[in-house]
Amino acid sequence: MRLILVGPPGAGKGTQAVFLAAHYSIPHISTGDIFRANIKGETELGKLAKSYMDAGNLVPDSVTNEMLKDRIGHADAADGFLLDGYPRNVGQAEFLDEVLEEKAISLDAVLELQISNEEIIKRLSGRRTCRDCGAPSHVIFEKPAVDGVCDKCGGELYQREDDKEEVVANRLNVYAEQTEPIISYYQKEGLLKVISAYGDVSEISASAIAALK
Ligand code: ADP
Ligand code: ZN
């Protein structure tokens, strides 16, 4: 299975990506997670990506495309993968098509998670992220057992710089202007499946599986 998840920030892509990757036994490839790991490790790539990410802007395609191409070339992605957060503009979608064509492989589906801007703002303003494993939680909707501590691994929960209110507004603009056009791009390719991002995590997972059958 070669799958892309798209949806605005806060739609729950990361949560569903973890579930779907396990369900189909494919690696979960999140460009945002790769950038955050590089920032944490203080690599050159991390230093470059940080200013763009903190402002809610896209990291330049020249950097992101090569990073993604390298990642899908790893052995664990030979039989399938799930992309979360890539492509994020039409240029990246075209680049990905070229890479796949070179490898003589193709995508199986692009799954869009749909949600309103109002709901996104509610979700992101309370979102906390684990510094160690990246798992998301929420101060109201998904409270951890112990405040500030990740339920999954015991790591420290923090608020991502780009989840702060001022930055969320910019991320929504970037999504509408740059990322939304990839939805019609994939619709034309006949790959698009759309599901609602409202409801319980398990309900959304079930609709994802049903849409992908
Ligand atoms: P979310 O989906 O919640 O916005 P991500 O973790 O996917 O969060 O992305 C966080 C940030 O990482 C983005 O705002 C952007 O700066 C950078 N980023 C992630 N993926 C890409 C990409 N494909 N192209 C450019 N920048 C990216
Ligand atoms: Zn954790």
Side-chain angles (χ1 to χ4, degrees):
M1 173 73 96
R2 294 188 182 88
L3 181 61
I4 293 175
L5 266 188
V6 325
K13 287 191 305 292
T15 306
Q16 294 305 325
V18 169
F19 167 81
L20 291 168
H23 182 84
Y24 294 112
S25 304
I26 50 179
H28 168 206
I29 301 178
S30 158
T31 42
D33 285 351
I34 300 174
F35 286 133
R36 278 184 292 275
N38 276 277
I39 291 174
K40 197 174 168 199
E42 296 178 353
T43 68
E44 285 306 311
L45 177 63
K47 282 179 205 154
L48 191 153
K50 189 172 185 328
S51 58
Y52 295 99
M53 291 178 74
D54 285 353
N57 293 322
L58 299 188
V59 178
D61 287 355
S62 54
V63 174
T64 309
N65 283 341
E66 287 313 311
M67 180 181 90
L68 189 279
K69 183 177 178 183
D70 174 77
R71 179 63 189 87
I72 61 178
H74 290 192
D76 67 340
D79 295 325
F81 49 74
L82 186 160
L83 302 184
D84 164 12
Y86 185 97
R88 243 180 166 89
N89 60 33
V90 171
Q92 293 181 7
E94 288 168 351
F95 177 84
L96 178 63
D97 274 348
E98 283 166 29
V99 172
L100 297 178
E101 204 172 314
E102 267 172 39
K103 296 177 182 287
I105 54 182
S106 53
L107 294 169
D108 293 294
V110 175
L111 186 66
E112 181 196 358
L113 293 176
Q114 273 189 343
I115 184 174
S116 71
N117 278 3
E118 209 182 320
E119 178 71 14
I120 291 169
I121 291 164
K122 260 196 254 166
R123 291 187 185 184
L124 290 185
S125 58
R127 178 159 83 173
R128 297 293 180 269
T129 303
C130 174
R131 264 193 213 287
D132 293 338
C133 76
S137 59
H138 192 284
V139 293
I140 299 163
F141 308 136
E142 212 185 332
K143 262 173 92 75
V146 180
D147 272 355
V149 179
C150 174
D151 279 347
K152 306 226 160 63
C153 80
E156 181 204 351
L157 297 174
Y158 76 111
Q159 181 175 40
R160 276 168 43 181
E161 203 50 48
D162 60 347
D163 280 349
K164 297 190 172 150
E165 207 179 318
E166 326 70 91
V167 184
V168 167
N170 186 46
R171 285 162 73 200
L172 292 177
N173 282 335
V174 168
Y175 184 79
E177 283 167 17
Q178 303 192 47
T179 308
E180 241 162 18
I182 73 170
I183 290 170
S184 44
Y185 179 93
Y186 286 121
Q187 191 162 32
K188 283 184 204 130
E189 291 190 356
L191 291 169
L192 188 70
K193 318 264 181 204
V194 182
I195 62 168
S196 158
Y198 289 92
D200 286 350
V201 168
S202 60
E203 279 167 14
I204 302 167
S205 301
S207 10
I209 300 288
L212 294 169
K213 277 233 166 82

